[in-house]
Amino acid sequence: MSEVSAALVRELRDKTGAGMMDCKRALGESNGDLGKAVVYLREKGLAAAAKRATRAASEGTVGSYIHAGGKIGVLIEVNCETDFVARTPEFGELVRNLAMQVAALGADYVKREDVPSERVAREREIYAGQVEGQGKPAAIVGKIVDGKLEKFYGETCLLDQPYIRDDKVKVVDLVQEAARKTGENVVVRRFSRFRLGQE
Amino acid sequence: MSEVSAALVRELRDKTGAGMMDCKRALGESNGDLGKAVVYLREKGLAAAAKRATRAASEGTVGSYIHAGGKIGVLIEVNCETDFVARTPEFGELVRNLAMQVAALGADYVKREDVPSERVAREREIYAGQVEGQGKPAAIVGKIVDGKLEKFYGETCLLDQPYIRDDKVKVVDLVQEAARKTGENVVVRRFSRFRLGQE
């Protein structure tokens, strides 16, 4: 293993949220190549996230965001594992950013698993109806329907939406980044959005 | 009609929210007796409120209140008739006080009319079961059940609850006072309350 600088370790930690010893080992194995070290950590990182996801997230914060002088309001609950993390400014910022996201774009569900199967079936029917009669092979029609359903999830499910402050990432990435940085399971549990005078 | 002082007119206006000419007339008819003037205005006042209540309240404010450092959050929509009134500090204060009320006591419904009839029937059954076999006459049992149902409304319906800052009045009085003062129909439309980690 080669020597690795503390600055590089910190950079890798900031990038991946992995532990210090893991980052040192990854950089050592990668001869100080940051890109390779990230790849090296990916499996570990994903394994850690999977392990985290099974842990109970019963602490957290209920936050709100009021937009346009009271015309739109959002209430949101985001869970983590400890009150300690819930009280950090970073967690508060995550909650606020998520509330702003919901205020700006709205959403029907937190995640795609929350969409009732009847609604998914109905959407599929509609999309199939849109392309039928165009003489396309069934396999192509299936792919088109899948694509349209993906677009539907990206509009109606909070976690699948493009993040309003950086549309190169999805909202789920924002949440997963917070999980990595805190080392805790972070879960958007529910939200409520009122638009003045509307449903 | 006797002469009435401007100070007394103002006091009556603050108390009832009635117009200046109505207050002058009421005090004149009551020989400057404030209590009698309030009684004199009541019918007028109630008539005005009833007329107000039929007017569309489609403006208003969505407000929120976060309690105990993010453990409890409330989102609430309160409607009035004009954006002008919605933007007044007094209306904002009403919304905030109502949100605090929901944060403190919780509620299942805005008003008793919102309680599903099946739930009312179930509550009535439970209460009747509690007093049956005590050999009480049916009329007395009916009164006891009515009393318990009233208590149920006072706990589960926001407008029927005692106001947390002054339990001599109900929340509905707070809303009606705002309607009188603004001269507009004021309606609590909906609220949402999240308590961390609970339903």
Side-chain angles (χ1 to χ4, degrees):
Chain A
M1 273 209 239
S2 60
E3 259 331 285
V4 292
S5 76
L8 207 57
V9 170
R10 178 176 302 161
E11 199 179 338
L12 184 59
R13 290 196 69 188
D14 286 349
K15 223 178 168 68
T16 64
M20 189 187 297
M21 292 312 296
D22 289 335
C23 288
K24 275 191 178 169
R25 190 173 306 114
L27 285 165
E29 296 283 336
S30 318
N31 291 316
D33 183 319
L34 199 64
K36 283 183 185 169
V38 171
V39 173
Y40 175 94
L41 279 173
R42 187 173 287 165
E43 251 194 25
K44 249 187 216 296
L46 287 175
K51 193 179 169 192
R52 270 201 304 269
T54 63
R55 293 203 305 258
S58 56
E59 289 293 335
T61 295
V62 178
S64 67
Y65 181 72
I66 302 294
H67 187 66
K71 302 304 179 205
I72 296 174
V74 170
L75 191 68
I76 192 165
E77 177 176 350
V78 185
N79 295 136
C80 56
E81 295 174 36
T82 64
D83 192 47
F84 176 79
V85 162
R87 287 174 186 276
T88 56
E90 291 77 14
F91 194 81
E93 202 191 326
L94 171 72
V95 174
R96 190 177 162 78
N97 283 334
L98 290 170
M100 284 181 68
Q101 172 86 24
V102 177
L105 294 193
D108 292 346
Y109 312 98
V110 172
K111 51 192 188 295
R112 59 175 68 192
E113 292 79 10
D114 298 340
V115 184
S117 54
E118 307 81 49
R119 181 157 187 196
V120 174
R122 201 173 67 236
E123 294 295 327
R124 278 193 176 280
E125 265 177 45
I126 293 168
Y127 304 148
Q130 287 168 354
V131 288
E132 81 180 1
Q134 297 180 359
K136 290 192 170 68
I140 301 294
V141 170
K143 274 196 196 307
I144 292 172
V145 168
D146 286 348
K148 284 175 183 278
L149 195 65
E150 204 58 33
K151 188 160 174 288
F152 165 79
Y153 288 137
E155 286 167 357
T156 56
C157 302
L158 172 61
L159 294 184
D160 275 311
Q161 288 177 350
Y163 179 38
I164 49 168
R165 292 186 161 184
D166 178 5
D167 63 10
K168 287 188 295 294
V169 301
K170 283 183 173 185
V171 171
V172 68
D173 299 321
L174 197 68
V175 175
Q176 285 181 349
E177 191 190 338
R180 275 198 306 271
K181 283 195 176 168
T182 61
E184 295 197 355
N185 186 11
V186 175
V187 178
V188 180
R189 186 167 171 234
R190 53 181 168 172
F191 62 80
S192 191
R193 181 183 192 264
F194 291 172
R195 190 190 169 98
L196 187 70
Q198 300 201 351
E199 273 318 299
Chain B
M1 274 211 238
S2 60
E3 253 339 278
V4 292
S5 76
L8 206 57
V9 171
R10 179 176 300 163
E11 199 179 338
L12 184 60
R13 291 196 67 189
D14 286 348
K15 223 179 168 68
T16 62
M20 189 188 296
M21 291 313 296
D22 289 334
C23 288
K24 274 190 179 171
R25 192 174 304 115
L27 283 165
E29 297 281 337
S30 317
N31 292 314
D33 183 319
L34 200 63
K36 283 183 186 168
V38 171
V39 172
Y40 175 93
L41 279 173
R42 185 173 289 165
E43 252 194 25
K44 250 187 214 295
L46 287 175
K51 192 178 168 191
R52 267 200 306 270
T54 63
R55 293 204 304 258
S58 56
E59 288 293 335
T61 295
V62 178
S64 68
Y65 181 72
I66 301 295
H67 187 64
K71 302 303 179 207
I72 295 174
V74 170
L75 190 68
I76 193 166
E77 176 176 350
V78 185
N79 294 137
C80 58
E81 294 173 37
T82 62
D83 192 49
F84 176 79
V85 162
R87 287 174 186 276
T88 58
E90 291 77 13
F91 194 82
E93 202 191 326
L94 171 72
V95 174
R96 189 176 162 80
N97 283 334
L98 290 169
M100 284 182 69
Q101 172 86 23
V102 177
L105 295 193
D108 292 346
Y109 312 98
V110 171
K111 51 191 189 296
R112 60 175 69 192
E113 293 79 10
D114 297 339
V115 184
S117 55
E118 306 82 48
R119 181 158 187 195
V120 174
R122 201 173 68 234
E123 294 294 326
R124 278 192 177 280
E125 266 177 43
I126 293 168
Y127 305 148
Q130 287 168 354
V131 289
E132 80 179 1
Q134 297 179 0
K136 289 192 170 69
I140 302 294
V141 170
K143 274 196 197 308
I144 292 174
V145 168
D146 286 349
K148 284 176 183 276
L149 196 64
E150 204 58 34
K151 190 162 171 289
F152 164 80
Y153 288 137
E155 286 166 358
T156 56
C157 301
L158 172 61
L159 294 184
D160 276 311
Q161 288 177 347
Y163 179 37
I164 50 168
R165 292 186 160 182
D166 177 6
D167 63 10
K168 287 188 296 295
V169 301
K170 284 182 174 185
V171 172
V172 68
D173 298 321
L174 197 69
V175 176
Q176 285 181 348
E177 191 190 338
R180 274 199 306 273
K181 282 193 177 169
T182 60
E184 295 198 355
N185 186 12
V186 175
V187 177
V188 180
R189 185 166 171 233
R190 53 181 168 171
F191 61 81
S192 190
R193 181 183 192 263
F194 292 172
R195 189 189 169 101
L196 188 68
Q198 299 201 354
E199 275 317 300

